[in-house]
Amino acid sequence: MKHRAMLTGLILTLASGVSALAQPGCVPTAADDEGPFYKAGAPLREATGKGLLVNGVVRSAATCAPIKGARVEWWQANPRGEYDDAHRGSQVTAEDGTYRFDTDFPPPYFGRPSHVHFRAFASGHRLLTTQLYPKGGQSAVVFDLVLVKE
């Protein structure tokens, strides 16, 4: 009986280790339309308006590890529903993979809900183009960007 209990314990220990190793990394962020208003070379900045704080972490899907030095670009319509250079920005993620910026709450326009466009680039990872859809009344949103390795 003693050997059987030890064997059962060993099997359970090994099985839990195997299932932990088999667990996937982070779920990649879903891609979304770039739209017609993307313009390369957005300036580095911490704000493109005021009223909506957006922050998050850029991570690798394979390991969930934060990615230092990833570039995050965003662009959106101004409060009048027009795209302009004042509402384009970019940042390079910190040591812990974080980014953070203030912006105006994006208005809905032409039947589209409020949204902010994003592109995220990191060495060894595929480019991600996606969108954030904040809800009316939100003043802060956490939006992690999970990138797939090349």
Side-chain angles (χ1 to χ4, degrees):
M1 194 68 151
K2 188 176 185 182
H3 292 289
R4 188 174 197 187
M6 284 178 42
L7 184 59
T8 301
L10 179 61
I11 290 170
L12 289 174
T13 300
L14 289 173
S16 68
V18 168
S19 77
L21 291 174
Q23 289 179 359
C26 290
V27 175
T29 300
D32 204 336
D33 290 332
E34 182 175 280
F37 302 107
Y38 174 71
K39 203 169 163 185
L44 291 171
R45 53 175 71 167
E46 295 180 6
T48 53
K50 196 147 179 89
L52 179 64
L53 174 65
V54 180
N55 68 337
V57 178
V58 178
R59 297 183 181 280
S60 176
T63 62
C64 288
I67 302 174
K68 173 189 173 188
R71 185 173 176 102
V72 176
E73 293 184 18
W74 70 92
W75 66 100
Q76 69 182 72
N78 65 26
R80 295 180 309 281
E82 303 162 340
Y83 284 82
D84 62 21
D85 288 342
H87 289 84
R88 297 177 200 287
S90 67
Q91 290 186 359
V92 176
T93 59
E95 185 80 30
D96 59 357
T98 58
Y99 72 93
R100 175 188 170 115
F101 65 91
D102 286 307
T103 192
D104 294 321
F105 194 92
Y109 65 89
F110 301 126
R112 298 255 3 248
S114 297
H115 61 281
V116 179
H117 298 266
F118 280 83
R119 283 181 75 156
F121 316 76
S123 179
H125 293 78
R126 290 187 213 151
L127 164 70
L128 170 67
T129 301
T130 193
Q131 295 181 34
L132 164 66
Y133 297 93
K135 306 282 185 242
Q138 281 186 304
S139 59
V141 179
V142 174
F143 191 57
D144 291 345
L145 300 165
V146 181
L147 308 183
V148 175
K149 284 199 168 265
E150 290 182 331

